[in-house]
Amino acid sequence: MPNNFALGNGKPWSRRQLLKLGLAGAGITGTAGLWQMLNLPSKSIVKVPPFNRSAPDDVTNPMKMLRDFDYGTVKQENGRTIREFQLTAGSSIIKLNSAVSYNIWDLNGRIPGPTLRAKQGDRIRVLFLNNAGHSHSLHFHGVHPAEMDGVRPISNGNATIYEFDAEPYGVHLYHCHIEPVTRHIAKGLYGMFIIDPPTPRPPADEIVLVMSGYDVNDDSHNDYYAFNGLPHYYMHNPIQIYKDQLIRLYVLNIIEYDPAVTFHLHANFFDVYRYGMTMTPSEKADVITMGVAERHILEFAFRYPGKYMFHPHQDAIAENGCMGQFEVLTESNSQNPAKSS
């Protein structure tokens, strides 16, 4: 932990000053300690199959990431709700398959970074520590002052605080914005940021899917693709959901080097809530085109049990890792949780 921190106003603050604010100490290097529920409707009627959260390694855990939302630590300051998150950039090596390992940058020891979640109107405070061996930053999509835009480099071993109001509601993202931005994103410094609307959405089984690519040869061309960090994972470990259960899919395309991809769901159609910024769907489709950093909410339910694929409709992207399956269950055949492999 460095003795000085470069904060959002550009001035170095001492460790003692941070301690007075309750923002320093060992806690800044870890994940958010408290997981708080928002003022959401009761989820007692939402059916989620049991699943195995065991990780294939310490960084990639696609099964856990599906329904893993970080609500931060909630505080009250001057009558306002402060939702505080802790994000630490680091470096790791992941195995893309049995033969290929790849050096990445990670956030809180995982790729993608944590799915941060708040409610519109919350005050967001992000404590960012850079331990990744290179200058980095965090740029949040949304509305905030210029000094919180996350374009100023934070050198290795230093930290900063980003603070802003959570607005507008929708599905957003955050990522490193240090040049070359494409490379910093492609190597793992990104995550989803969900701001829930003032009026909660109907209860649903909520699932996160982040599409990404890996340029292992450093030639500005992706060699592998993935949902939630690991190529082909959900083909071998289908996502189990229940028949007739409303599924709310938060989908983000963060594939660099490819200008756009599609997302296709087999044997069904979904309602599209573009950028998650509406309470009523704009259209119904089974294929949607998404540019880099584009994200939406897709809602659907399956009538029939069985396994159904999802993937981009660009064959090279799907066949090189960005492909998975939903396994639709009836309650009678959901006794065994999905296993990781």
Side-chain angles (χ1 to χ4, degrees):
M1 179 69 65
N3 291 325
N4 292 288
F5 295 78
L7 298 185
N9 58 11
K11 298 178 181 179
W13 283 24
S14 69
R15 183 179 178 86
R16 179 175 297 177
Q17 287 173 302
L18 283 176
L19 283 169
K20 288 181 179 179
L21 292 175
L23 301 179
I28 196 171
T29 63
T31 58
L34 296 178
W35 290 65
Q36 304 285 344
M37 289 303 297
L38 300 173
N39 294 322
L40 300 175
S42 170
K43 293 192 176 184
S44 59
I45 63 173
V46 176
K47 302 174 183 177
V48 178
F51 61 98
N52 191 327
R53 288 172 174 252
S54 61
D57 60 43
D58 292 335
V59 183
T60 53
N61 191 340
M63 195 59 72
K64 179 181 178 181
M65 292 178 188
L66 288 171
R67 300 176 174 96
D68 194 13
F69 301 100
D70 186 347
Y71 293 95
T73 300
V74 176
K75 302 179 178 181
Q76 296 295 323
E77 295 182 9
N78 300 319
R80 290 206 63 183
T81 298
I82 309 295
R83 201 170 290 275
E84 189 174 287
F85 300 92
Q86 301 172 359
L87 293 174
T88 300
S91 58
S92 306
I93 299 175
I94 63 172
K95 289 186 70 66
L96 298 178
N97 56 40
S98 60
V100 178
S101 296
Y102 185 58
N103 292 296
I104 65 161
W105 288 315
D106 62 65
L107 288 163
N108 287 7
R110 52 173 277 176
I111 182 173
T115 299
L116 309 184
R117 194 159 184 177
K119 187 175 181 180
Q120 181 172 285
D122 289 347
R123 184 70 172 174
I124 304 300
R125 181 179 294 152
V126 179
L127 285 60
F128 174 58
L129 173 64
N130 180 15
N131 279 339
H134 191 287
S135 291
H136 293 298
S137 72
L138 289 182
H139 165 67
F140 284 80
H141 286 221
V143 178
H144 47 251
E147 60 268 23
M148 295 297 151
D149 202 32
V151 297
R152 184 175 59 82
I154 306 302
S155 59
N156 183 56
N158 284 301
T160 194
I161 297 173
Y162 303 107
E163 188 163 330
F164 50 88
D165 292 336
E167 59 178 350
Y169 75 81
V171 185
H172 306 298
L173 71 151
Y174 61 92
H175 58 82
C176 181
H177 211 289
I178 302 306
E179 296 180 356
V181 178
T182 296
R183 181 171 182 268
H184 284 228
I185 293 175
K187 287 183 72 69
L189 293 179
Y190 56 83
M192 188 179 287
F193 176 39
I194 299 171
I195 301 177
D196 286 304
T199 301
R201 299 182 188 275
D205 182 1
E206 298 189 320
I207 292 173
V208 169
L209 287 179
V210 179
M211 296 186 284
S212 62
Y214 293 104
D215 171 21
V216 299
N217 295 316
D218 289 326
D219 59 0
S220 300
H221 175 79
N222 288 312
D223 303 286
Y224 299 95
Y225 299 86
F227 283 108
N228 291 350
L230 203 59
H232 300 291
Y233 181 84
Y234 297 122
M235 283 301 294
H236 304 299
N237 304 270
I239 301 169
Q240 293 187 338
I241 58 176
Y242 279 125
K243 172 181 172 291
D244 297 321
Q245 171 66 63
L246 177 64
I247 305 299
R248 179 169 298 123
L249 201 61
Y250 297 91
V251 181
L252 164 64
N253 171 31
I254 199 67
I255 298 175
E256 296 287 351
Y257 306 117
D258 290 274
V261 300
T262 56
F263 178 87
H264 170 49
L265 180 64
H266 280 213
N268 211 337
F269 285 79
F270 44 75
D271 289 325
V272 181
Y273 299 77
R274 290 191 169 271
Y275 294 92
M277 295 180 69
T278 65
M279 299 298 287
T280 56
S282 61
E283 62 195 279
K284 187 179 289 287
D286 65 349
V287 180
I288 187 170
T289 301
M290 303 176 69
V292 181
E294 197 167 340
R295 61 275 179 198
H296 305 299
I297 292 175
L298 310 179
E299 289 188 349
F300 56 90
F302 276 96
R303 297 182 190 177
Y304 310 110
K307 292 182 180 180
Y308 301 92
M309 293 176 66
F310 58 88
H311 55 83
H313 234 294
Q314 292 80 6
D315 290 346
I317 294 176
E319 292 167 5
N320 282 294
C322 205
M323 185 184 298
Q325 298 182 89
F326 286 109
E327 183 177 10
V328 181
L329 307 174
T330 61
E331 291 191 63
S332 61
N333 66 354
S334 63
Q335 301 303 312
N336 296 319
K339 295 182 179 180
S340 301
S341 63

